[in-house]
Amino acid sequence: DGFKVKSTQTSSFDETWRPVWGETATIRNHYNEMAVNLHQPSSDRDITIRFRVYDYGMGLRYEFPQQQTLNYFVIKEEHTQFAMTADHTAYWIPGDYDTQEYEYNITPLTGIRAVIAKHREAYKSNSSTTVFSNTGVQTSLQLKTKDGLYINIHEAACLDYPTMHLNLDDKNLVFESWLTPDAVGRKGFIQTPFNTPWRTVMVSDDARDMLSCKLTLNLNEPCKIEDTSWIHPTKYCGVWWNMIVGTKSWSYTNDLPSVRLGVTDYAKCKPNGTHGATNEEVKRYIDFAAKNGLQEVLVEGWNEGWEDWFGHQKLDVFDFVTPYPDFDIKMLNDYAHAKGVKLMMHHETSSSALNYERHLEDAFNLMNKYGYDAVKTGYVGDIIPRGEYHYSQLMNNHYQHVIETAAKHHIMVNAHEATRPTGICRTWPNLVGNESARGTEYEAFGGNVAYHTVMLPFTRLQGGPMDYTPGIFETRLSDWSQNPSFVHTTLCGQLSLYLVMYSPLQMAADLPEHYEKYDDAFQFIRDVACDWDDSKYLEAEPAQYITVARKAKGTDNWFVGGKTGEEARTAVVRLDFLDKGRKYACAIYQDAKGADYEHNPKAYQIIHKTVKKGDVLKINEARGGGFAVSLIAK
């Protein structure tokens, strides 16, 4: 209360910067800025509110300069408000302090309360959930007005601060910031000088702008890693999908009621016969990666402790350095390197952040010793320190500590179940991926709605790329396992995700033997890039369809992907982006006649032709389907 405007300063800024990896080779950062300096006479305190306004959106943040009367303080609440002009259509998931692994709802703003109330008990089925309000939602929040205006609300550069949600006053249609608390309800501990994260709004009458404008990245600081030569976009496969589906296990034995690190003797235990991370199985994946041009092989369940890793709030879960008896870490890394492939490390923390930080240096030193350059981290379950949430200030600082420590060891990080990204990958580009949303694994747990992957680019991907783990060809899991679930896309819909769901880290997630059955379709995964010089969004509508064309880094080759939701459609791909006077060998991977994600998911056809600039491709997309196109310059 009682703040007075002391002064204001305005300025303009225009730069073009080059990301280490990304959808485009360069990004323009052009804005007008206003800093409003406020003074509170009653306490003699100063605060600055800084605004940056772009052609396509804006950001604001609160800045607290160091001062005698405001040095250390605790945040009770943050009351940033976003007032809606009408009962807009919202594409949303419930506000939750621990997970984003939800399917998106599409309702008017006034419909949020009824949906959360109806499903509140069902939301508890995840490993760790904390839905805090009947009208709370998570960012990035996508909205659409009745007259066709698209609005997106998010945050950027969330550092040393809790993750922001939005809570709706559904009578007055006003969203207010809702910060994730710590274990005793406090929102944040601050020492000045300090800047909050940016609160961001994008606005356009063209849905494609929601996907192409880089507001979140631009509001982060430039790269802090001097030598980035060791950071590289990666295609990988791995020992993972079998465990998710249920035909293999992470654990080595069924003999143990519990495990105690440094005490349990696995040499005396009988193998369970279903362990996935065996020497033989890992070598099979290495051979497959080497044969098909994949750079790395992820191996989950390689280390001791999986027998009782989950659900016990156990502090000392893993040490991240001790392999099971049937995983020869030196032999397997030597074998991989001899074939031009690397193994990708897996560190599931079981949400014991305290334990992970104690072992972090030893774990990264082991990776350096054996030539690992990437790690997939995981945070399944309730956080230790007990009572903390996945998105609290303390845990956000933990994730950042892991990223910065990994950078010192020249290790790339792919964090699962961590906080949602807010563009920090610009500053720390060794953060090559996050999960932080409902990924492909849920296709084995009952499925994702067909429009899920044409919703995520408008929401979750606003803050950074997602390791969605696409590429499932055998979509009916009961054909090869006891799992009754099915993947809610067609086979060509899976191919489209390598373009639609942008990431510099892309997995060929299915089993090698499944890809061998559909080798002609797998050719697209062999060919497609995962780093780009240019990207052009050709068609887009939230939850309905996305069509995007991308130019592979350092080449003249283009790839196009289109994905649809619950309704079949015909995509119109105008090849105006191709070089004039040049011909391209075009391969179109598309849903065949009669394809359908429920009834005929594996029906596809591949069409080869020669195309040039100005040609138009009209491609039928099945319900839940999609297409992929490679355009190789002649």
Side-chain angles (χ1 to χ4, degrees):
D1 253 354
F3 280 98
K4 308 290 184 183
V5 176
K6 265 180 32 176
S7 63
T8 63
Q9 292 93 37
T10 60
S11 61
S12 294
F13 185 81
D14 194 356
E15 69 169 355
T16 298
W17 58 278
R18 301 184 68 87
V20 175
W21 45 260
E23 296 185 78
T24 55
T26 60
I27 296 174
R28 188 183 184 193
N29 186 18
H30 181 205
Y31 58 82
N32 291 331
E33 180 174 282
M34 179 170 66
V36 181
N37 303 306
L38 304 173
H39 181 69
Q40 188 182 45
S42 62
S43 65
D44 194 29
R45 289 174 177 168
D46 293 318
I47 182 175
T48 297
I49 306 178
R50 188 175 303 276
F51 300 87
R52 288 183 182 172
V53 183
Y54 295 75
D55 287 346
Y56 48 81
M58 57 82 70
L60 70 90
R61 75 180 181 190
Y62 308 99
E63 300 179 358
F64 301 90
Q66 191 172 38
Q67 52 200 291
Q68 194 66 41
T69 53
L70 188 63
N71 197 355
Y72 295 94
F73 63 95
V74 180
I75 298 173
K76 290 177 66 178
E77 299 290 350
E78 180 194 316
H79 293 295
T80 306
Q81 294 183 341
F82 304 85
M84 302 295 105
T85 57
D87 193 9
H88 306 323
T89 298
Y91 306 81
W92 60 276
I93 56 176
D96 192 307
Y97 297 148
D98 279 303
T99 186
Q100 280 196 284
E101 294 179 354
Y102 292 101
E103 292 179 324
Y104 278 82
N105 302 286
I106 306 172
T107 71
L109 293 172
T110 52
I112 292 173
R113 180 183 296 273
V115 173
I116 293 180
K118 180 179 178 181
H119 296 288
R120 196 144 192 169
E121 285 303 312
Y123 292 154
K124 296 178 182 177
S125 62
N126 206 329
S127 61
S128 186
T129 60
T130 314
V131 176
F132 59 79
S133 164
N134 280 335
T135 57
V137 299
Q138 299 193 43
T139 65
S140 163
L141 174 67
Q142 182 65 46
L143 302 160
K144 185 179 181 181
T145 68
K146 287 184 172 62
D147 55 354
L149 201 64
Y150 300 90
I151 304 167
N152 189 285
I153 303 174
H154 195 27
E155 64 177 323
C158 185
L159 294 161
D160 193 19
Y161 205 78
T163 295
M164 180 185 75
H165 313 270
L166 299 170
N167 199 56
L168 178 66
D169 172 352
D170 51 359
K171 292 182 179 179
N172 297 302
L173 299 181
V174 175
F175 282 110
E176 184 167 283
S177 56
W178 186 292
L179 302 182
T180 306
D182 67 9
V184 295
R186 294 166 296 195
K187 303 298 173 70
F189 288 79
I190 306 301
Q191 180 184 359
T192 60
F194 183 81
N195 303 327
T196 71
W198 296 92
R199 279 65 186 97
T200 66
V201 181
M202 284 201 301
V203 185
S204 178
D205 58 4
D206 190 334
R208 295 174 297 177
D209 289 343
M210 299 293 104
L211 305 177
S212 62
C213 296
K214 302 306 174 193
L215 178 65
T216 312
L217 289 175
N218 276 330
L219 288 170
N220 276 268
E221 294 297 316
C223 178
K224 290 190 175 182
I225 302 174
E226 291 186 13
D227 173 19
T228 59
S229 60
W230 50 275
I231 301 171
H232 55 89
T234 300
K235 272 190 286 188
Y236 73 105
C237 61
V239 181
W240 174 76
W241 185 236
N242 257 333
M243 283 99 90
I244 295 295
V245 172
T247 60
K248 296 282 187 181
S249 65
W250 287 269
S251 60
Y252 170 78
T253 181
N254 297 333
D255 290 353
L256 300 171
S258 67
V259 174
R260 193 174 292 276
L261 286 181
V263 175
T264 299
D265 186 358
Y266 280 93
K268 296 179 180 178
C269 298
K270 178 184 176 182
N272 58 22
T274 60
H275 185 219
T278 66
N279 292 331
E280 180 181 358
E281 184 77 346
V282 175
K283 287 174 71 175
R284 188 168 75 91
Y285 277 83
I286 292 169
D287 291 342
F288 176 78
K291 178 182 176 182
N292 293 285
L294 306 179
Q295 290 84 43
E296 304 208 4
V297 175
L298 169 71
V299 183
E300 297 199 7
W302 67 276
N303 56 317
E304 291 185 357
W306 285 90
E307 285 72 21
D308 67 343
W309 73 284
F310 175 67
H312 305 294
Q313 279 278 281
K314 182 179 178 182
L315 177 63
D316 301 307
V317 196
F318 304 107
D319 66 9
F320 311 101
V321 297
T322 307
Y324 278 129
D326 57 354
F327 184 89
D328 187 330
I329 189 168
K330 182 180 187 306
M331 180 275 290
L332 288 170
N333 277 281
D334 288 346
Y335 185 83
H337 295 164
K339 289 179 172 282
V341 175
K342 290 185 176 182
L343 294 187
M344 183 181 293
M345 178 56 74
H346 182 235
H347 289 164
E348 174 54 64
T349 68
S350 190
S351 281
S352 182
L354 281 177
N355 182 59
Y356 193 35
E357 290 191 13
R358 290 187 309 181
H359 291 285
L360 195 59
E361 283 290 342
D362 288 342
F364 285 169
N365 285 334
L366 182 83
M367 290 179 63
N368 292 154
K369 176 180 178 181
Y370 290 111
Y372 291 90
D373 68 359
V375 60
K376 173 184 176 181
T377 60
Y379 294 86
V380 176
D382 295 335
I383 296 294
I384 299 177
R386 296 176 182 92
E388 287 288 334
Y389 300 109
H390 281 75
Y391 303 155
S392 68
Q393 180 189 32
L394 183 144
M395 284 305 299
N396 285 345
N397 288 347
H398 164 81
Y399 306 131
Q400 189 63 26
H401 172 67
V402 172
I403 294 165
E404 295 184 24
T405 303
K408 295 176 184 176
H409 288 264
H410 286 194
I411 290 170
M412 299 179 290
V413 176
N414 168 27
H416 281 231
E417 296 91 25
T419 192
R420 55 181 169 272
T422 56
I424 294 168
C425 57
R426 177 188 178 183
T427 313
W428 297 95
N430 65 315
L431 179 60
V432 293
N434 284 86
E435 185 190 37
S436 305
R438 188 179 173 105
T440 296
E441 63 185 353
Y442 278 84
E443 301 286 9
F445 308 153
N448 295 327
V449 292
Y451 63 76
H452 190 57
T453 50
V454 282
M455 193 64 251
L456 287 170
F458 289 95
T459 51
R460 159 61 188 80
L461 270 68
Q462 289 295 324
M466 178 180 178
D467 182 29
Y468 189 74
T469 61
I472 305 302
F473 281 10
E474 283 293 357
T475 57
R476 294 202 174 279
L477 307 185
S478 58
D479 289 349
W480 58 276
S481 74
Q482 299 300 309
N483 192 316
S485 300
F486 70 95
V487 181
H488 288 55
T489 66
T490 64
L491 187 150
C492 286
Q494 287 289 302
L495 291 180
S496 75
L497 299 181
Y498 292 91
L499 283 308
V500 171
M501 296 282 293
Y502 166 69
S503 176
L505 185 72
Q506 292 284 15
M507 186 180 195
D510 211 336
L511 311 185
E513 57 267 33
H514 295 167
Y515 289 132
E516 289 163 0
K517 290 171 60 178
Y518 307 96
D519 188 68
D520 57 346
F522 186 71
Q523 185 61 44
F524 182 79
I525 297 179
R526 293 189 189 97
D527 293 341
V528 70
C530 49
D531 196 17
W532 310 99
D533 274 337
D534 198 5
S535 294
K536 297 184 181 299
Y537 287 90
L538 308 178
E539 304 175 303
E541 180 64 27
Q544 294 186 29
Y545 55 84
I546 295 173
T547 305
V548 60
R550 304 190 191 276
K551 187 180 184 183
K553 179 68 67 74
T555 77
D556 294 319
N557 303 326
W558 287 80
F559 295 84
V560 185
K563 182 74 180 66
T564 191
E566 295 284 0
E567 297 181 5
R569 67 183 297 271
T570 299
V572 178
V573 181
R574 303 184 186 279
L575 300 180
D576 299 335
F577 49 83
L578 298 180
D579 291 339
K580 187 176 181 180
R582 192 159 198 174
K583 293 184 177 180
Y584 294 78
C586 173
I588 304 171
Y589 302 76
Q590 68 180 61
D591 298 320
K593 185 177 181 180
D596 182 273
Y597 79 91
E598 285 187 282
H599 308 299
N600 194 15
K602 292 183 287 187
Y604 68 92
Q605 59 180 328
I606 304 173
I607 299 171
H608 294 276
K609 59 197 303 185
T610 298
V611 298
K612 65 184 184 306
K613 181 182 178 69
D615 287 349
V616 178
L617 305 177
K618 294 186 177 181
I619 305 174
N620 292 328
E621 297 176 87
R623 199 170 64 107
F627 68 89
V629 179
S630 61
L631 297 159
I632 308 303
K634 291 186 174 182

